């Protein structure tokens, strides 16, 4: 009965999340394309910059956008206004491809930017930017209730009977793909301790964790909302997502697994739309601002690991580097991961289907 009630609440939360996201899209995106010939933009006194970002970046950007407005105003005399949309990373990328004319996008993973490249919206050279186009880093961690009542210490503990796990759906969420990559990669690392790197062992490890999953939410933010409401015992998520909530007074424990993946998040100018709108100059300046000390300090305050070396060193004591940390190259790179894990016959879909 308890489990049925829990699933009912997850369904209700999911529907509320969908309605809120839908309302946000309607308010943030015009039914007609954003027009280039805006009078204020033409006469140079005002420019509108359209931002399409993945949901977890929303809180940090709320502090960063006004800082950029002040800098740009002082530098050029021009007032920047923002239109903003926040969605799960994969959903946001599909919206931009489908006609949401974002000038700049911040996404959870480089694969979602590559989708924009294939659609002819972003240039192939986007990785030539500093830090290969990345603006923040993080790691996949485990969030537990205050005091860690179930004694969760690693991904292996998520396989225990009765442990209720939350993570989002990798079909819609870039953050979820990082979560699955972390669990699968941890399985590979564990198999190496027993002999050789064994994909079959890693798949079985992922299957055991997935059996305990309470719900697959649309985004990392939706999973956290469910966890805050009381659903589940453990949430698999970005480190920064938990640290930001703890800063707000939430009572959670952060568990850093021995083997977990380094997350890297890109930001790019959407070339086609920025050129159409005449906003390239301000769009490029905004992305550059995101890499600068002021914005990187804000990102660090919200629990992101800065790409700016000076800011990272200033915050190094806050960010433990796990002994078994690996990056996407350990899994063969994103092309290999998409083929191995997320293709129609990939590991993730086999796990879902119980194959």
């Amino acid at each position: 009965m308890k489990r049925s009630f829990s699933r009912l609440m997850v369904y209700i939360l999911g529907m509320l999340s969908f309605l809120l996201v839908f309302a946000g899209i309607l308010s943030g995106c015009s039914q007609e394309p954003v027009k280039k010939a805006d009078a204020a933009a033409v006469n140079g006194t005002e420019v509108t910059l359209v931002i399409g970002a993945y949901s977890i970046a929303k809180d940090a950007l709320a502090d960063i956008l006004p800082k950029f407005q002040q800098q740009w105003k002082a530098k050029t005399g021009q007032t920047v206004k923002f239109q903003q949309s926040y969605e799960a990373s994969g959903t946001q990328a599909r919206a931009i491809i489908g006609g949401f004319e974002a000038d700049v996008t911040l996404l959870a993973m480089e694969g979602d930017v590559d989708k924009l490249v294939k659609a002819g919206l972003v240039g192939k050279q986007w990785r030539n930017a500093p830090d290969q186009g990345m603006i923040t880093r993080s790691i996949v961690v485990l969030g537990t209730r205050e005091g860690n009542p179930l004694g969760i210490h690693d991904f292996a503990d998520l396989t225990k009977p009765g442990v209720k796990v939350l993570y989002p759906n990798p079909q819609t969420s870039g953050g979820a793909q990082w979560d699955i990559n972390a669990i699968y990669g941890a399985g590979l690392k564990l198999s190496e301790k027993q002999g050789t790197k064994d994909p079959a062992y890693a798949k079985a490890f992922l299957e055991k964790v997935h059996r305990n999953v309470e719900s697959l939410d649309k985004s990392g933010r939706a999973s956290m909302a469910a966890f805050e409401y009381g659903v589940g015992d453990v949430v698999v998520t970005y480190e920064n997502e938990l640290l930001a909530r703890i800063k707000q007074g939430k009572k959670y424990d952060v568990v850093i697994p021995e083997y977990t993946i380094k997350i890297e998040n890109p930001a790019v100018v959407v070339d086609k739309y920025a050129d159409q709108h005449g906003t390239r100059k301000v769009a490029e300046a905004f992305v550059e601002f995101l890499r600068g000390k002021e914005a990187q300090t804000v990102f660090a305050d919200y629990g992101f690991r800065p790409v700016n070396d000076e800011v990272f060193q200033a915050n190094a004591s806050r960010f433990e580097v796990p002994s078994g940390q690996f990056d996407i190259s350990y899994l063969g790179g994103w092309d290999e991961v998409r083929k191995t894990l997320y293709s129609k016959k990939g590991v993730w879909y086999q796990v879902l289907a119980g194959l």
Side-chain angles (χ1 to χ4, degrees):
M1 184 69 178
K2 255 176 146 184
R3 191 170 182 86
S4 298
F5 176 76
S6 177
R7 291 192 180 280
L8 175 60
M9 292 312 303
V10 169
Y11 173 77
I12 292 170
L13 284 167
M15 290 301 296
L16 286 172
S17 175
F18 171 79
L19 291 172
L20 287 170
V21 166
F22 184 68
I25 290 174
L26 289 180
S27 64
C29 311
S30 171
Q31 291 297 315
E32 297 179 12
V34 178
K35 296 185 183 301
K36 177 179 175 181
D38 179 73
V42 170
N43 67 30
T45 63
E46 186 177 289
V47 61
T48 297
L49 199 62
V50 185
I51 308 293
Y54 71 110
S55 57
I56 291 174
K58 182 177 183 178
D59 295 337
L61 285 180
D63 285 354
I64 290 171
L65 298 185
K67 294 179 184 297
F68 177 73
Q69 285 174 318
Q70 292 170 10
Q71 185 199 77
W72 190 254
K73 180 75 171 180
K75 183 178 179 180
T76 69
Q78 193 175 48
T79 298
V80 179
K81 292 187 174 180
F82 291 101
Q83 291 182 12
Q84 303 164 59
S85 168
Y86 297 94
E87 260 286 10
S89 184
T91 304
Q92 189 67 263
R94 286 191 292 275
I96 294 169
I97 292 168
F100 170 48
E101 297 185 7
D103 299 302
V104 172
T105 186
L106 292 77
L107 295 172
M109 58 186 189
E110 61 186 84
D112 285 334
V113 178
D114 288 335
K115 293 173 186 175
L116 304 184
V117 173
K118 290 178 182 177
L121 302 176
V122 171
K124 294 179 181 179
Q125 73 284 359
W126 71 270
R127 287 186 181 82
N128 294 341
D131 300 299
Q132 296 184 308
M134 305 302 158
I135 57 155
T136 53
R137 298 188 179 111
S138 192
I139 57 173
V140 173
V141 299
L142 308 175
T144 74
R145 305 297 172 188
E146 185 179 15
N148 193 1
L150 297 185
I152 303 298
H153 300 295
D154 220 324
F155 284 122
D157 293 321
L158 306 189
T159 68
K160 294 178 179 177
V163 177
K164 298 174 183 177
V165 180
L166 294 179
Y167 52 64
N169 189 338
Q171 290 178 292
T172 57
S173 168
Q177 290 195 23
W178 284 116
D179 296 341
I180 300 305
N181 295 349
I183 298 167
Y184 182 79
L188 288 176
K189 288 284 188 179
L190 290 170
S191 71
E192 284 187 297
K193 289 177 73 172
Q194 300 179 22
T196 59
K197 193 174 179 180
D198 184 359
Y201 183 98
K203 177 190 171 186
F205 185 71
L206 177 59
E207 284 174 333
K208 289 177 184 176
V209 173
H210 188 68
R211 286 191 200 115
N212 283 342
V213 168
E214 191 79 349
S215 70
L216 286 176
D217 299 292
K218 187 176 182 181
S219 69
R221 181 56 54 92
S223 277
M224 280 306 308
F227 190 62
E228 288 184 357
Y229 193 80
V231 178
D233 302 310
V234 186
V235 61
V236 185
T237 189
Y238 286 18
E239 176 188 50
N240 54 277
E241 184 77 336
L242 283 170
L243 293 181
R245 274 159 172 70
I246 290 170
K247 182 182 177 182
Q248 294 168 0
K250 305 293 185 182
K251 303 296 184 181
Y252 301 129
D253 282 12
V254 179
V255 177
I256 299 179
E258 178 184 4
Y259 301 118
T260 192
I261 196 165
K262 179 173 77 173
I263 295 166
E264 295 186 292
N265 313 121
V268 297
V269 175
V270 184
D271 296 304
K272 180 177 178 179
Y273 296 146
D275 287 339
Q276 284 181 358
H277 305 157
T279 57
R280 173 169 288 280
K281 185 177 179 181
V282 66
E284 289 180 343
F286 177 68
V287 173
E288 185 61 29
F289 182 80
L290 294 175
R291 297 193 180 96
K293 185 176 179 180
E294 192 171 12
Q296 288 285 301
T297 299
V298 174
F299 279 127
D301 287 343
Y302 280 90
F304 290 91
R305 299 184 175 214
V307 298
N308 181 292
D309 288 337
E310 182 182 353
V311 179
F312 181 80
Q313 291 305 320
N315 291 274
S317 62
R318 299 170 54 190
F319 298 117
E320 175 189 339
V321 179
S323 60
Q325 178 178 287
F326 55 92
D327 60 24
I328 198 67
S329 65
Y330 176 72
L331 302 180
W334 274 110
D335 286 343
E336 181 64 24
V337 165
R338 282 191 287 269
K339 181 175 69 175
T340 302
L341 266 68
Y342 304 114
S343 67
K344 290 182 179 179
K345 296 183 180 180
V347 169
W348 169 249
Y349 293 97
Q350 290 178 37
V351 168
L352 276 184
L355 300 175

